[in-house]
Amino acid sequence: MDETDADCMAEMPEPRPKIAAGSREDRDGVRQASTAGKEQSSSKTSELMKQVVGRENLKGALRRVLANKGAAGCDGVTVEELTPYLKEHWPRLRRELLESRYVPQPVRAVDIPKPGGGTRRLGIPTVLDRFIQQAVLQVLTPIFDPDFSESSYGYRPGRSAQQAVEAGRRYVEAGHRWVVDMDIEKFFDRVNHDVLMARVARRVKDKTLLRLIRAYLNAGMMVEGVVQPRGEGTPQGGPLSPLLSNVLLDEFDKELERRGHRFCRYADDCNVYVRSKAAGERVMASLEGFLAKRLRLKVNRNKSVVERPWKRTFLGYSMTLTMKPKLKVAPESVRRAKGTLKQLFRRGRGRALKRVIVEINQFTRGWLGYYRLAQTKGVFEEMDEWLRRRCRWLLWRQWKRPRTRAERMHEFGLDKERAWQSAYNGHGPWWNAGASHMNASVPVEWLATQGLLSLLIEHRRLAAAS
């Protein structure tokens, strides 16, 4: 935070005391104490709102919101406008928060496509509400996170989807070669507010903070300019929703642990690993009843199955059918990646190939970073071939006329007679992109000079680094 940002915190009190000796700050700027959270007593959690509006806590929240950027909420205020707004209005907002008079604004509804089809509705809070939620999150995380299950990986400091996937692979290698793949129906839309707040109130005794959390749960959603009231759910999009989802589902985790199950949960995606199909069916039926009775959540039986792990996808990964299974990129993940890359190539028809490759590389680096645990190289070889063909497809489209195509292929080194014959072959761009004349004209080495990243080589580098 620079001096300008820090100035808006001038009206805030001094930093709250440290939680406990041995606390550590996670990479997200959330202060977490592995032992202090467990030792929080009722008396220590009865004045948490003062910690929320503490100067150092708010400075950390502001840094986080500014770094995350993000879209404006229903009021249209951007991230860049947050600091000047706080400079002017923070004393009033602080009083409202401490006196339980602050009213969150409705979240803005945004529908995004789901990987498997359909859409997922996000609720984007205003920038100010994101700032306040982040401040609340930083205070609540040390209280709740240390007690969460070791098998819970989603939205937690220092934990990742890759760790969940690797844990699942180890369970399968240990002989638990059936998986109960559970899907909670519309989880973020169906969270019961009373059930959730009861779980929060077990650890949080500050009634002011509890009222603020309830206010965020009850904040309406603006859809096409109309505010719709909300009586259930905790929409994805705000900083606080992931923690609240873990607070609710922690009871589910504890029940699985009590029964001695081996499982991995990432948000509402949960895999339970068992030794037989019959055991899996029993677990499925039992857990379905538990979720309905205790948490008022419904299992989607159309998407929940008992199956072999190598026939299922978990967080974008699958695994091989071997006694010591290897992780691999799931076919559905490859199809989604190709769909995104196709859009990037289509947008590049009127631009130089080098500029298109820059965008392609940005996507593939991020994609490889996520799938760095994959232990089979075939998918990366196939993706490399597909990307090179897409580059040749783009060039063929850009050359447009047969005469231009013949001249360009000849300039690239193809025999003149073959270049002219190939240019007039009558086939479409995708066929020509895979034909020998384009492979000879635009070889792998030339595409590398244009900057095209090799997924196979980059994956080997990432694997060696890890």
Side-chain angles (χ1 to χ4, degrees):
M1 179 186 295
D2 60 23
E3 293 181 1
T4 303
D5 295 334
D7 287 344
C8 74
M9 302 293 124
E11 299 295 329
M12 299 178 184
E14 288 304 308
R16 61 184 174 91
K18 293 182 180 179
I19 297 172
S23 64
R24 60 185 175 85
E25 185 133 346
D26 82 291
R27 62 174 180 265
D28 291 337
V30 178
R31 189 174 298 275
Q32 175 185 345
S34 59
T35 57
K38 294 181 180 179
E39 297 169 357
Q40 285 280 9
S41 65
S42 296
S43 62
K44 289 183 178 180
T45 62
S46 61
E47 295 186 347
L48 291 176
M49 201 64 210
K50 292 182 181 179
Q51 296 181 22
V52 170
V53 298
R55 184 178 181 184
E56 291 303 313
N57 187 56
L58 290 172
K59 287 170 68 175
L62 182 59
R63 280 194 298 267
R64 189 65 182 167
V65 171
L66 295 178
N68 286 344
K69 301 185 185 296
C74 64
D75 60 356
V77 176
T78 64
V79 172
E80 291 74 21
E81 297 171 300
L82 176 60
T83 300
Y85 182 86
L86 290 174
K87 278 185 177 182
E88 181 178 355
H89 297 283
W90 178 249
R92 172 183 59 82
L93 292 168
R94 182 176 181 274
R95 287 194 300 272
E96 290 180 359
L97 287 166
L98 290 174
E99 297 170 7
S100 295
R101 292 188 292 109
Y102 179 78
V103 180
Q105 296 190 62
V107 297
R108 180 170 63 88
V110 177
D111 293 326
I112 61 171
K114 294 173 67 174
T119 59
R120 175 182 288 112
R121 174 155 289 183
L122 303 183
I124 308 300
T126 64
V127 176
L128 174 61
D129 282 324
R130 293 209 294 272
F131 166 67
I132 296 172
Q133 285 191 36
Q134 181 65 33
V136 173
L137 174 69
Q138 292 170 184
V139 170
L140 292 184
T141 295
I143 296 172
F144 286 101
D145 191 82
D147 279 341
F148 286 157
S149 169
E150 287 297 313
S151 297
S152 169
Y153 296 90
Y155 309 127
R156 296 183 60 192
R159 288 176 167 260
S160 66
Q162 287 88 347
Q163 290 174 337
V165 169
E166 174 58 26
R169 188 202 65 79
R170 291 196 301 269
Y171 292 145
V172 176
E173 184 175 353
H176 299 80
R177 298 172 69 81
W178 287 88
V179 62
V180 182
D181 189 348
M182 299 192 66
D183 181 85
I184 301 176
E185 189 173 278
K186 297 183 179 179
F187 171 72
F188 286 94
D189 297 331
R190 299 282 176 82
V191 169
N192 183 282
H193 291 175
D194 292 334
V195 174
L196 172 58
M197 288 305 302
R199 271 69 184 167
V200 175
R202 290 174 182 173
R203 303 294 299 276
V204 175
K205 304 305 178 183
D206 187 328
K207 294 183 179 179
T208 303
L209 181 53
L210 290 173
R211 282 192 286 267
L212 179 61
I213 296 172
R214 171 72 81 162
Y216 274 119
L217 291 174
N218 291 339
M221 178 174 288
M222 183 171 287
V223 182
E224 297 180 353
V226 179
V227 177
Q228 298 179 353
R230 202 170 70 231
E232 62 180 3
T234 171
Q236 300 176 76
L240 198 52
S241 290
L243 175 65
L244 294 179
S245 68
N246 276 333
V247 170
L248 181 65
L249 289 174
D250 184 57
E251 188 166 339
F252 177 61
D253 296 339
K254 295 299 193 293
E255 178 66 14
L256 288 170
E257 289 179 341
R258 188 186 68 79
R259 299 182 185 188
H261 289 310
R262 291 152 179 82
F263 69 99
C264 303
R265 184 179 64 79
Y266 191 95
D268 57 333
D269 288 332
C270 184
N271 277 3
V272 183
Y273 297 88
V274 294
R275 291 185 180 275
S276 69
K277 185 174 183 178
E281 296 290 356
R282 290 194 298 272
V283 169
M284 175 75 79
S286 177
L287 293 179
E288 183 177 11
F290 176 86
L291 286 168
K293 182 178 179 180
R294 296 293 295 273
L295 302 181
R296 300 186 192 178
L297 296 171
K298 184 179 180 181
V299 172
N300 187 335
R301 289 307 297 257
N302 293 326
K303 295 182 179 180
S304 301
V305 297
V306 178
E307 188 54 275
R308 294 291 194 179
W310 46 87
K311 295 184 179 179
R312 302 299 296 172
T313 297
F314 182 47
L315 301 175
Y317 280 85
S318 185
M319 61 183 71
T320 59
L321 172 55
T322 54
M323 292 306 296
K324 291 188 176 181
K326 295 181 178 180
L327 294 175
K328 65 178 184 179
V329 184
E332 296 90 338
S333 303
V334 176
R335 286 195 291 270
R336 289 198 297 269
K338 286 183 176 180
T340 301
L341 290 165
K342 282 180 182 178
Q343 295 300 318
L344 294 177
F345 275 111
R346 289 191 182 106
R347 293 208 305 262
R349 291 180 185 177
R351 295 185 295 161
L353 180 61
K354 273 191 174 183
R355 291 181 59 190
V356 177
I357 285 175
V358 169
E359 292 187 9
I360 298 301
N361 287 347
Q362 287 176 347
F363 175 83
T364 54
R365 280 196 176 95
W367 192 78
L368 278 168
Y370 183 80
Y371 290 106
R372 63 183 180 275
L373 295 186
Q375 298 165 290
T376 56
K377 66 178 184 178
V379 64
F380 302 111
E381 292 175 332
E382 190 271 333
M383 283 288 285
D384 274 343
E385 293 175 3
W386 184 87
L387 281 169
R388 291 192 288 264
R389 186 170 179 177
R390 272 286 155 187
C391 289
R392 297 177 184 119
W393 168 89
L394 182 61
L395 290 173
W396 190 268
R397 293 293 300 262
Q398 289 178 343
W399 293 340
K400 294 183 179 179
R401 294 180 298 179
R403 181 182 182 87
T404 304
R405 290 166 177 166
E407 292 173 350
R408 291 291 182 271
M409 285 188 289
H410 184 53
E411 289 173 5
F412 273 95
L414 197 66
D415 176 79
K416 186 173 183 179
E417 181 178 353
R418 186 184 176 193
W420 280 90
Q421 288 177 348
S422 301
Y424 285 90
N425 61 42
H427 289 288
W430 186 244
W431 184 92
N432 278 282
S436 59
H437 52 270
M438 280 299 285
N439 278 269
S441 302
V442 187
V444 175
E445 296 77 16
W446 184 84
L447 289 172
T449 65
Q450 304 305 296
L452 184 64
L453 186 74
S454 168
L455 274 71
L456 180 61
I457 294 175
E458 182 68 9
H459 177 258
R460 285 174 178 167
R461 185 189 68 78
L462 290 173
S466 60

